[in-house]
Amino acid sequence: MNQPRVVLGVSGGIAAYKACELLRRFSESGHQVTVVPTAAALHFVGEATWAALSGRPAATETWERVHEVPHVRIGQQADLVVVAPATADLLAKAAHGLADDLLTNTLLTARCPVVFAPAMHTEMWEHPATQENVATLRRRGVIVLEPAVGRLTGVDTGKGRLPDPEAIFAACLRVLARGTAVADLAGRHVVVSAGGTREPLDPVRYLGNRSSGKQGYALATTAAARGARVTLLSANVELPAPAGVDVVKVTTALELREAAVKAAAEADVVVMAAAVADFRPTDYAAVKIKKRDGVEPAPIALVRNPDILAELSEHRARPGQLVVGFAAETDQVLANGRAKLARKGCDLLVVNEVGDGKAFGLDTNEAVVLGADGSERAIAPGPKEDLADAVWDLVAARLGAAEHG
């Protein structure tokens, strides 16, 4: 079996040292990696380090091995080009088609998926010039991951941090798994909810559910790998943030509703994969509820939470917006799913059976996707990322049909 050929471009930012970990993950998982650092990148990490970690000479000069035409062949022969970190300067050159070194020549000749993982100070990322360059690249089908929020160079903190190498690697694996058909969500903003809400009873207790958030995080990861700008509404999830995804943390159903309505205002697609509590305690005890000998606890009165999926479906924030729901059922799965689809008013409903040893907390899932148009598609058991890609296939087809309808 041929080793996937990956070009790892490294531009001149302090985060270049993190690319060493990304390179290690590619190499140890059987990928053939050619590192193409810029001259500035070599000030941060030397050529010997790249060669030692990849087991191959680093490609640094356009004029080396001229008879092999490296400025053309490296990009032509790659299955994936990933640039991490991608500086503001590198993004600008790529957006405008400049080719003044080996890496930018490689980007112009690549006919495979290209992924940029930007890293820079917040002001540079938010500058209109950088945002326009990113928008240009995304319109061309290039995948530009959103930077993470965190500590930057010096004492600065904000958006612009390179995503964790593990998360970049996971996104790249999804890109490689799909080959060239990866950017069908480019230019789209998608909102995904994940996890399970918790409704506090007292300072130490809550009403909750067993959702791990893995399916929602898989949806976010695969959407980013297909070029989308992703907002992930994360309800009590203990998972690392996917690369290139804006994470909004929530706890309760009311917090999730507020975040979902706000995020949906600018979204092309909203996928509500979180397990939202149907009820919450009417009263919250300010101190821990104590048990008393010989006294039975008072009944817990509940009040209904808002139906977020039905609300988003009824009040679409923008024309053509698609809304996808999830239905976790324990019995009469399809019958309950069809009834819920009619009741919720969403475009697609992903129905899966849950219970002991099914769905919750596992890395695998299976489902049937019901469409408001009467369609049904069964998704065979497999990794949750595969189910996520199947959902995005259906979404992308509907978005494309709407554009050409």
Side-chain angles (χ1 to χ4, degrees), residues 46-317:
E47 183 177 353
T49 299
W50 301 121
L53 291 175
S54 66
R56 299 165 57 85
T60 59
E61 295 291 342
T62 306
W63 300 105
E64 289 180 350
R65 306 190 313 276
V66 176
H67 64 287
E68 298 178 10
V69 201
H71 70 289
V72 173
R73 293 287 182 262
I74 293 175
Q76 284 181 333
Q77 297 173 354
D79 297 305
L80 172 72
V81 176
V82 53
V83 182
T87 60
D89 178 69
L90 191 284
L91 292 172
K93 288 178 178 178
H96 290 84
L98 301 181
D100 62 354
D101 63 6
L102 186 55
L103 178 54
T104 48
N105 273 272
T106 298
L107 290 169
L108 278 183
T109 57
R111 294 298 179 264
C112 60
V114 176
V115 177
F116 288 103
M120 64 197 73
H121 269 74
T122 305
E123 293 84 357
M124 299 174 72
W125 172 253
E126 294 178 346
H127 194 283
T130 302
Q131 289 301 301
E132 181 58 33
N133 290 332
V134 169
T136 297
L137 291 167
R138 284 173 170 162
R139 283 194 298 270
R140 295 176 187 158
V142 174
I143 298 165
V144 184
L145 302 174
E146 290 286 311
V149 176
R151 181 73 177 268
L152 306 174
T153 306
V155 298
D156 294 339
T157 299
K159 188 169 186 177
R161 182 182 176 90
L162 186 74
D164 288 340
E166 181 180 2
I168 299 174
F169 178 65
C172 288
L173 289 184
R174 296 310 305 171
V175 173
L176 281 166
R178 289 184 54 78
T180 58
V182 295
D184 52 357
L185 296 179
R188 302 291 188 177
H189 178 205
V190 306
V191 175
V192 178
S193 71
T197 62
R198 296 176 179 178
E199 310 302 325
L201 180 61
D202 64 21
V204 298
R205 302 183 180 92
Y206 60 85
L207 301 180
N209 57 68
R210 295 171 55 194
S211 177
S212 66
K214 288 184 176 181
Q215 186 63 71
Y217 271 56
L219 284 156
T221 298
T222 52
R226 295 170 74 143
R229 178 165 70 90
V230 184
T231 300
L232 176 60
L233 311 179
S234 179
N236 309 295
V237 178
E238 300 297 329
L239 295 172
V245 170
D246 289 325
V247 179
V248 178
K249 292 187 177 295
V250 298
T251 300
T252 67
L254 294 180
E255 291 175 0
L256 178 57
R257 177 192 175 276
E258 180 180 0
V261 170
K262 180 179 179 181
E266 298 180 348
D268 299 291
V269 186
V270 181
V271 180
M272 297 299 294
V276 184
D278 293 323
F279 308 97
R280 67 182 185 274
T282 303
D283 298 310
Y284 172 76
V287 297
K288 180 181 176 182
I289 300 172
K290 301 286 188 179
K291 63 181 179 181
R292 292 180 291 171
D293 293 341
V295 179
E296 292 297 316
I300 299 174
L302 301 176
V303 62
R304 187 184 297 272
N305 272 323
D307 191 327
I308 305 172
L309 177 58
E311 180 180 350
L312 293 174
S313 299
E314 182 178 0
H315 304 289
R316 307 287 172 120

Side-chain angles (χ1 to χ4, degrees), residues 312-396:
L312 293 174
S313 299
E314 182 178 0
H315 304 289
R316 307 287 172 120
R318 52 194 300 182
Q321 184 180 72
L322 291 179
V323 179
V324 181
F326 270 68
E329 302 291 344
T330 59
D331 64 321
Q332 302 183 55
V333 175
L334 285 181
N336 288 336
R338 293 188 186 100
K340 182 171 286 188
L341 175 64
R343 192 167 65 251
K344 302 291 186 179
C346 51
D347 300 288
L348 295 170
L349 188 71
V350 184
V351 184
N352 62 324
E353 186 174 358
V354 298
D356 291 338
K358 295 180 179 179
F360 283 143
L362 302 180
D363 294 326
T364 58
N365 204 354
E366 62 180 301
V368 176
V369 184
L370 305 176
D373 57 2
S375 61
E376 292 187 14
R377 178 179 172 184
I379 310 300
K384 287 184 173 178
E385 289 80 7
D386 289 354
L387 189 150
D389 265 327
V391 171
W392 292 126
D393 287 343
L394 295 171
V395 167

Side-chain angles (χ1 to χ4, degrees), residues 17-75:
Y17 77 93
K18 294 184 179 179
C20 296
E21 173 63 17
L22 180 59
L23 171 57
R24 185 186 67 80
R25 289 182 178 274
F26 274 121
S27 297
E28 292 184 354
S29 57
H31 297 79
Q32 183 184 106
V33 187
T34 299
V35 182
V36 185
T38 64
L42 293 174
H43 286 288
F44 295 97
V45 180
E47 183 177 353
T49 299
W50 301 121
L53 291 175
S54 66
R56 299 165 57 85
T60 59
E61 295 291 342
T62 306
W63 300 105
E64 289 180 350
R65 306 190 313 276
V66 176
H67 64 287
E68 298 178 10
V69 201
H71 70 289
V72 173
R73 293 287 182 262
I74 293 175

